[in-house]
Amino acid sequence: MTQNQFASCVIMGLGYIGLPTSVVVARAGIDVIGVDVNERTVSAISAGRCPIEEPGLPEAIAEFVAGGRIVAQAQPRPADVFMIAVPTPFTGGYKPDLSYVEAATRAIAPALRKGNLVMVESTIPVGATEQVARWIEALRRDLRCAQRNGPEEPDILVAHCPERVLPGQMLKELVENDRVIGGVCPASAEAGKRFYESFVSGKCLITDSRTAELCKLTENSFRDVNIAFANELADVCEDFDIDVWRLIELANHHPRVSVLKPGPGVGGHCIAVDPWFIVSALGERARLIREARWINSGRPRQVVRKVLAQVASSGVRSIGCFGLAYKPNIDDLRESPAAEIVQYLAHELHMLGSDIELRLIEPHITELPPSLEHGNRMKLVDPDQGLDSDLLVMLVDHDAFRSIPASEIRGKNIIDTRGVWSEAALGPSN
Ligand code: SAJ
């Protein structure tokens, strides 16, 4: 690209993707205008504060806001590139909800000028990038917007580049991961590639927008299906009285086998959501993907049933639940199977009229979210108090839990959903 082709970029949505992206774009010397509907987010960022936990992000936000390279505001203004990075949850019936994407499109429409590039980063169902182009077309009749078989050089270029970064390593992965850029038309894909090449060191691969959309859904469905396989194996092993963790370790010595890890369910806002974007469009035609979703989403209740069975057969007075985040070493509790388990367990114990104490151990948070404040039944405690419980339930394999000496775990009454506190994992006792 020519050095100054993209001098400014509006990023719609300053959340888990938009905010770290604003930093890597700013680092490439591009002025970033970050836009969010949440006033508190805008004022925090304007003051140089970072509202989310991600290594390296707070320092970078403070630096670029102070230097004026990143500004946060409530409304977009004219720029060279407009990036949409807002959430796409699903509505009832697991249908994707595009209302945030539509609202962001409506917000940028008045600011668009001939030659602009609109990039959709949000995860979206197949066909949605073309839908964005049609919304723009309807709102700006004075501009020729990209169409699937439209003019070679439209006034407004529209493409999709799905994010594929892992929380905890965002600033690194946003730059180093290969990117797939799908244009509504070939010129849009080319423009998208030039833009991403200005801050990405990985490969920027171009395709059409539908393929890029399905590519993202494929990546997360692939992982979901493979985790479902591991979860099913865990059940199979339980019936055969076999240690699933040892079994997987042995099977993975095969050069072409790589079984993932079973667990208490699949959390986060992507893997547990994106496969539905395929299933809700195709139903029966995507039955393996659908079955995997059912297997994984049924896991939390399976764990609760196990805990209740233990409670019924022993004199448990207190339960220590280790971990609430959706995966290890982060503070993110959204769509977390561990949090779902704790909530459901509290509900079931309440229904049984039990006064068993639930002790929650989550070193990455300082207070419980309102959804987990179930009367006085739940308490956030430190690991020592947790270990003192009659039953230990390992839900998230945070490093902080892995480093608890085996001598403090051994001999306790344990339900281990992560394979870190089994006899085999703890190793031989001295
Ligand atoms: N999990 C298991 N067993 C495993 C691996 C994961 O039970 O072997 C569980 C985790 O505990 C967690 C959930 O799956 O609850 C999801 O965790 P994850 O680390 O697999 O993925 P996410 O949701 O943090 O990020 C995924 C990534 N996608 C893929 O790996 C294909 C990431 O690259 C995407 O950018 C992200 O989704 C996204 O935003 O779509």
Side-chain angles (χ1 to χ4, degrees), residues 287-345:
R287 58 183 188 278
L288 176 63
I289 299 173
R290 186 180 59 188
E291 198 53 37
R293 235 358 11 256
W294 288 134
I295 291 175
N296 290 338
S297 59
R299 293 297 284 180
R301 289 193 176 224
Q302 249 176 292
V303 175
V304 171
R305 280 197 293 275
K306 259 191 212 170
V307 175
L308 292 175
Q310 282 260 4
V311 167
S313 65
S314 59
V316 169
R317 304 299 318 140
S318 55
I319 304 174
C321 297
F322 284 75
L324 293 172
Y326 90 85
K327 65 179 194 174
N329 306 323
I330 59 169
D331 68 340
D332 194 343
L333 266 52
R334 293 175 306 161
E335 322 292 338
S336 161
E340 186 183 338
I341 287 166
V342 163
Q343 235 170 344
Y344 184 48
L345 184 58

Side-chain angles (χ1 to χ4, degrees), residues 95-370:
K95 293 252 180 263
D97 173 5
L98 287 179
S99 59
Y100 297 97
V101 175
E102 184 176 2
T105 308
R106 287 187 178 282
I108 63 171
L112 291 174
R113 296 176 307 197
K114 186 172 179 206
N116 278 164
L117 168 66
V118 176
M119 290 299 318
V120 185
E121 277 240 3
S122 311
T123 302
I124 43 177
V126 175
T129 311
E130 288 168 40
Q131 175 66 64
V132 167
R134 285 199 296 272
W135 282 326
I136 295 173
E137 212 165 47
L139 293 160
R140 292 294 304 268
R141 299 214 168 268
D142 54 321
L143 296 168
R144 286 177 319 147
C145 194
Q147 284 174 16
R148 198 146 179 239
N149 298 308
E152 266 180 31
E153 275 301 329
D155 295 336
I156 304 294
L157 301 143
V158 185
H160 176 50
C161 179
E163 61 79 16
R164 27 164 57 165
V165 288
L166 210 59
Q169 342 193 9
M170 294 227 187
L171 292 181
K172 180 174 182 288
E173 292 207 355
L174 274 172
V175 172
E176 293 179 9
N177 288 1
D178 294 346
R179 302 299 293 256
V180 174
I181 298 147
V184 166
C185 63
S188 298
E190 288 294 346
K193 179 175 158 79
R194 286 196 301 278
F195 173 60
Y196 279 86
E197 278 177 349
S198 60
F199 59 92
V200 168
S201 66
K203 291 194 189 89
C204 292
L205 309 155
I206 56 173
T207 181
D208 59 85
S209 58
R210 291 184 189 192
T211 306
E213 287 156 351
L214 190 56
C215 187
K216 166 71 185 193
L217 304 181
T218 300
E219 292 161 15
N220 282 350
S221 300
F222 172 86
R223 200 148 166 87
D224 201 39
V225 168
N226 280 281
I227 296 170
F229 176 71
N231 283 334
E232 187 165 282
L233 262 187
D235 290 347
V236 169
C237 284
E238 206 168 287
D239 287 357
F240 284 133
D241 194 20
I242 286 171
D243 178 346
V244 68
W245 305 98
R246 179 69 178 142
L247 171 88
I248 292 174
E249 188 199 325
L250 294 171
N252 285 351
H253 277 271
H254 186 290
R256 285 173 295 284
V257 172
S258 180
V259 180
L260 292 180
K261 295 184 195 143
V266 171
H269 355 287
C270 309
I271 296 186
V273 175
D274 300 355
W276 288 120
F277 290 12
I278 301 178
V279 175
S280 68
L282 298 182
E284 264 303 297
R285 304 269 296 276
R287 58 183 188 278
L288 176 63
I289 299 173
R290 186 180 59 188
E291 198 53 37
R293 235 358 11 256
W294 288 134
I295 291 175
N296 290 338
S297 59
R299 293 297 284 180
R301 289 193 176 224
Q302 249 176 292
V303 175
V304 171
R305 280 197 293 275
K306 259 191 212 170
V307 175
L308 292 175
Q310 282 260 4
V311 167
S313 65
S314 59
V316 169
R317 304 299 318 140
S318 55
I319 304 174
C321 297
F322 284 75
L324 293 172
Y326 90 85
K327 65 179 194 174
N329 306 323
I330 59 169
D331 68 340
D332 194 343
L333 266 52
R334 293 175 306 161
E335 322 292 338
S336 161
E340 186 183 338
I341 287 166
V342 163
Q343 235 170 344
Y344 184 48
L345 184 58
H347 170 79
E348 289 298 289
L349 291 173
H350 177 71
M351 297 307 279
L352 290 169
S354 154
D355 59 358
I356 289 176
E357 196 185 325
L358 274 186
R359 300 174 182 166
L360 312 183
I361 307 95
E362 178 44 81
H364 296 270
I365 60 171
T366 49
E367 56 182 35
L368 287 179

